Amino acid sequence: QVQLVESGGGLVQPGGSLRLSCIVSRSIFRMNHMGWYRQAPGKERELVARIMSGGSTNYADSVKGRFTISRDYATNMVYLQMNSLKPEDTAVYYCNCNDDYGTYWGQGTQVTVSS
């Protein structure tokens, strides 16, 4: 079973930055894709950013130009750098990955953007 553990969430003022981290219990080299999702209260979970095995990335329109997804094969980590945060970015953020055997989720980390 693959385990994912997120960290780095917290309370930040509008315009601030946070860096989310996700450590994966298995080598991420064979992952088909890895991503970050978020779920705000009363809303469905949505894709924020995804990085494919070949390195291509895609982002939700609402975060383009502000968020950056990256990965580190050496440490089996996936990151989400979030800049210029807005109150509407407030949500629980989940790390996700997929390989040939299944799809895996972390437990989530809360991000709150408020003054």
Side-chain angles (χ1 to χ4, degrees), residues 45-113:
R45 190 173 297 188
E46 63 174 355
L47 175 67
V48 176
R50 178 184 292 163
I51 184 165
M52 309 304 288
S53 59
S56 62
T57 57
N58 58 282
Y59 296 90
D61 287 344
S62 59
V63 308
K64 283 181 181 177
R66 300 188 296 123
F67 291 11
T68 303
I69 188 171
S70 61
R71 64 190 173 193
D72 185 334
Y73 285 129
T75 57
N76 296 326
M77 298 284 290
V78 183
Y79 301 99
L80 185 68
Q81 178 66 44
M82 306 186 294
N83 299 327
S84 302
L85 283 161
K86 304 175 181 180
E88 50 263 44
D89 294 319
T90 295
V92 178
Y93 283 70
Y94 298 90
C95 183
N96 161 277
C97 62
N98 169 276
D99 64 13
D100 291 346
Y101 305 101
T103 297
Y104 314 100
W105 294 90
Q107 82 290 348
T109 185
Q110 176 71 45
V111 172
T112 302
V113 185

Side-chain angles (χ1 to χ4, degrees), residues 12-55:
V12 63
Q13 292 186 343
S17 297
L18 281 176
R19 188 194 195 201
L20 303 184
S21 301
C22 172
I23 185 165
V24 184
S25 63
R26 183 186 296 173
S27 171
I28 63 173
F29 182 76
R30 295 186 181 277
M31 293 297 173
N32 298 320
H33 56 78
M34 308 191 68
W36 288 91
Y37 288 71
R38 68 186 180 188
Q39 188 167 19
K43 295 187 177 182
E44 294 186 353
R45 190 173 297 188
E46 63 174 355
L47 175 67
V48 176
R50 178 184 292 163
I51 184 165
M52 309 304 288
S53 59

